[in-house]
Amino acid sequence: MDSGKDGEDSSVTNPMLESKRTRSNNGKGKGKAIATEADPPAPSATLVTTKAYSPLTKGGGWKKGVAIIDFILRLGAIGATLGAAALMGNNEQVLPFFTQFLQFHAQWNDFPMFEFFVIANAAAGGYLILSLPLSIVCIVRPFAIGPRLLLMIIDTVMMALVVAAASSAATVVYLAHNGSQDANWIAVCQQFTGFCQVSSEAVVISFVAAISFACLILVSSLALKRK
Amino acid sequence: MDSGKDGEDSSVTNPMLESKRTRSNNGKGKGKAIATEADPPAPSATLVTTKAYSPLTKGGGWKKGVAIIDFILRLGAIGATLGAAALMGNNEQVLPFFTQFLQFHAQWNDFPMFEFFVIANAAAGGYLILSLPLSIVCIVRPFAIGPRLLLMIIDTVMMALVVAAASSAATVVYLAHNGSQDANWIAVCQQFTGFCQVSSEAVVISFVAAISFACLILVSSLALKRK
């Protein structure tokens, strides 16, 4: 009886190991262990271990679903950031009339904010592509904390970058549309309508990317929490 | 012996309850239980329960420290957001010369971005003050998931709001300082130096608040993770 007691104790002292074994064996090994042991208290104690860790085992499927949502959101955000960068980076307009000395020409790099916009969105898109393998790791191993925490921290920084880029570009677009009477700034969009149209579209797409980033952070925080 | 066994089993089936009781009694009740039980295997099984949950109990102090850092960061962010809002909200300058019809007067609500800046920073400051009680709850109960997750989600939204406000105001300040040759916008800061100075300071303080928010999200994510 003493040796049987010892065997039971060692299985209880390492509950993490125990629950892992239970999952991998699909409960088959457990049934065998109960059958070989003739001592009555032994099965009850073994049962307890499984019970205490059942929320962890059940949470696996739920966490896998969250990880798949994370992956899909990332794909969408890649499209949005790279689309916004490409749209703004190819944005220029030449007006069909010109004087002897002057051609009316608007280009995206006339404004440093639009340059920042293109760089920030391209950087966010590049990061998102590089993050896809880590996101797949999170699908395969739903309980891994390290990769998810790393992704979440960089996601937060990138969200701040994309929001900053989008809102500074939005400010320029607003001023170009409406001008500012107090500062005596004219509304250049009255001439360059096409240029302003494309800029506005790029800004809207970039805000969509920012919302995707916010959802990514929310999803990661749900996946990080215990239970 | 059987009744002693039963008593031990009930203490094992509810390990969460058990570990809580151990903490609140400072181990005194546990010692008594060992003293009254004459059965040799009983203490070893009881010991096991405490051992299995020791990382959880040990993590409490670490999590409490994280919660206190969260509280201090919140106090700093309150000062930064409300300071930035107050600085920008009182920002106006009247030039000492005027014509018969015109007085040169710059005020913060000449630009809609500055209005947005004041509103967003005041809103973030108000939220932070309201969040202090929840932050204290997180210090008192380091294992509570609900309040921390709620704080983290609203923190993310507020960080996006503050970053958007700060960067759109920064864009206006940049344009006021440098103008834009291509859009034919003049640099109004050449006249209104004091106004531009105060606006720049408010923008910098608001970016400090945004960094505090990023740190708050990082701290919350560390506190949410298992172990």
Side-chain angles (χ1 to χ4, degrees):
Chain A
M1 151 134 190
D2 253 356
S3 73
K5 203 73 214 161
D6 272 353
E8 181 211 329
D9 270 355
S10 75
S11 82
V12 178
T13 40
N14 243 337
M16 280 310 235
L17 224 132
E18 184 65 23
S19 73
K20 240 185 232 164
R21 218 193 307 154
T22 315
R23 255 182 289 147
S24 63
N25 286 3
N26 254 334
K28 252 186 261 167
K30 184 68 56 185
K32 215 196 282 175
I34 290 169
T36 50
E37 267 168 321
D39 211 26
S44 86
T46 323
L47 191 74
V48 158
T49 325
T50 326
K51 217 184 210 167
Y53 280 90
S54 69
L56 215 79
T57 322
K58 217 167 79 186
W62 175 80
K63 292 221 171 191
K64 212 177 261 284
V66 165
I68 291 169
I69 292 173
D70 178 283
F71 187 77
I72 295 168
L73 270 174
R74 258 168 226 286
L75 288 181
I78 287 173
T81 48
L82 294 187
L87 206 61
M88 186 64 97
N90 292 314
N91 190 12
E92 65 175 321
Q93 187 182 13
V94 181
L95 290 191
F97 51 87
F98 47 89
T99 65
Q100 199 174 358
F101 306 107
L102 204 65
Q103 193 186 24
F104 295 96
H105 181 209
Q107 208 177 3
W108 63 277
N109 52 11
D110 287 347
F111 294 100
M113 295 87 191
F114 285 171
E115 287 181 31
F116 172 52
F117 181 89
V118 171
I119 293 168
N121 275 291
Y127 152 70
L128 282 169
I129 291 173
L130 290 177
S131 77
L132 284 181
L134 264 184
S135 180
I136 292 170
V137 166
C138 286
I139 295 177
V140 176
R141 296 178 55 201
F143 292 101
I145 298 173
R148 202 175 283 283
L149 199 64
L150 182 70
L151 280 181
M152 187 171 171
I153 291 168
I154 312 180
D155 280 350
T156 308
V157 174
M158 285 292 162
M159 186 187 83
L161 190 71
V162 170
V163 168
S167 55
S168 64
T171 302
V172 173
V173 169
Y174 175 89
L175 286 173
H177 268 288
N178 295 71
S180 172
Q181 268 207 310
D182 298 289
N184 219 356
W185 292 343
I186 51 163
V188 289
C189 279
Q190 284 167 358
Q191 285 91 50
F192 297 100
T193 44
F195 179 76
C196 282
Q197 184 79 40
V198 174
S199 304
S200 311
E201 285 165 10
V203 166
V204 169
I205 294 171
S206 187
F207 272 117
V208 170
I211 292 170
S212 307
F213 268 113
C215 293
L216 277 174
I217 294 172
L218 174 62
V219 161
S220 292
S221 70
L222 283 177
L224 266 181
K225 84 177 170 66
R226 300 176 295 265
K227 271 193 286 187
Chain B
M1 167 168 172
D2 252 354
S3 74
K5 204 72 215 165
D6 271 352
E8 181 211 328
D9 270 353
S10 76
S11 82
V12 178
T13 40
N14 242 336
M16 280 308 238
L17 224 133
E18 184 66 22
S19 73
K20 241 186 230 166
R21 218 192 308 154
T22 315
R23 254 183 290 144
S24 66
N25 284 4
N26 252 335
K28 252 186 262 168
K30 185 66 59 183
K32 218 195 280 174
I34 291 169
T36 51
E37 268 170 323
D39 211 27
S44 86
T46 322
L47 191 74
V48 157
T49 324
T50 327
K51 218 185 209 165
Y53 280 88
S54 71
L56 216 76
T57 323
K58 219 168 78 187
W62 174 80
K63 291 220 170 191
K64 211 178 260 284
V66 164
I68 291 170
I69 292 172
D70 177 282
F71 188 76
I72 294 168
L73 271 174
R74 258 168 227 284
L75 289 181
I78 287 173
T81 48
L82 294 187
L87 206 61
M88 186 64 96
N90 292 312
N91 190 12
E92 65 175 319
Q93 189 181 13
V94 181
L95 290 191
F97 51 88
F98 48 89
T99 66
Q100 202 175 356
F101 306 106
L102 204 67
Q103 193 186 25
F104 294 97
H105 182 208
Q107 207 177 2
W108 63 277
N109 51 13
D110 288 347
F111 294 100
M113 297 84 191
F114 285 172
E115 287 181 31
F116 172 53
F117 180 89
V118 171
I119 293 168
N121 275 291
Y127 153 70
L128 282 169
I129 290 174
L130 290 177
S131 77
L132 284 181
L134 265 184
S135 180
I136 292 170
V137 166
C138 287
I139 294 176
V140 177
R141 295 178 56 201
F143 293 101
I145 298 171
R148 202 175 284 285
L149 199 65
L150 181 71
L151 280 181
M152 189 172 171
I153 292 167
I154 311 180
D155 280 351
T156 308
V157 174
M158 285 291 161
M159 186 187 82
L161 190 70
V162 170
V163 168
S167 55
S168 64
T171 303
V172 173
V173 168
Y174 175 89
L175 286 173
H177 268 288
N178 296 72
S180 172
Q181 268 207 311
D182 298 290
N184 218 355
W185 292 343
I186 51 163
V188 289
C189 278
Q190 284 167 0
Q191 284 90 49
F192 297 99
T193 44
F195 179 77
C196 283
Q197 183 79 38
V198 174
S199 305
S200 312
E201 285 165 11
V203 166
V204 170
I205 294 172
S206 189
F207 272 118
V208 170
I211 292 170
S212 306
F213 268 113
C215 292
L216 276 174
I217 295 171
L218 173 63
V219 161
S220 292
S221 70
L222 283 177
L224 267 180
K225 83 179 172 61
R226 297 175 297 267
K227 271 192 280 186

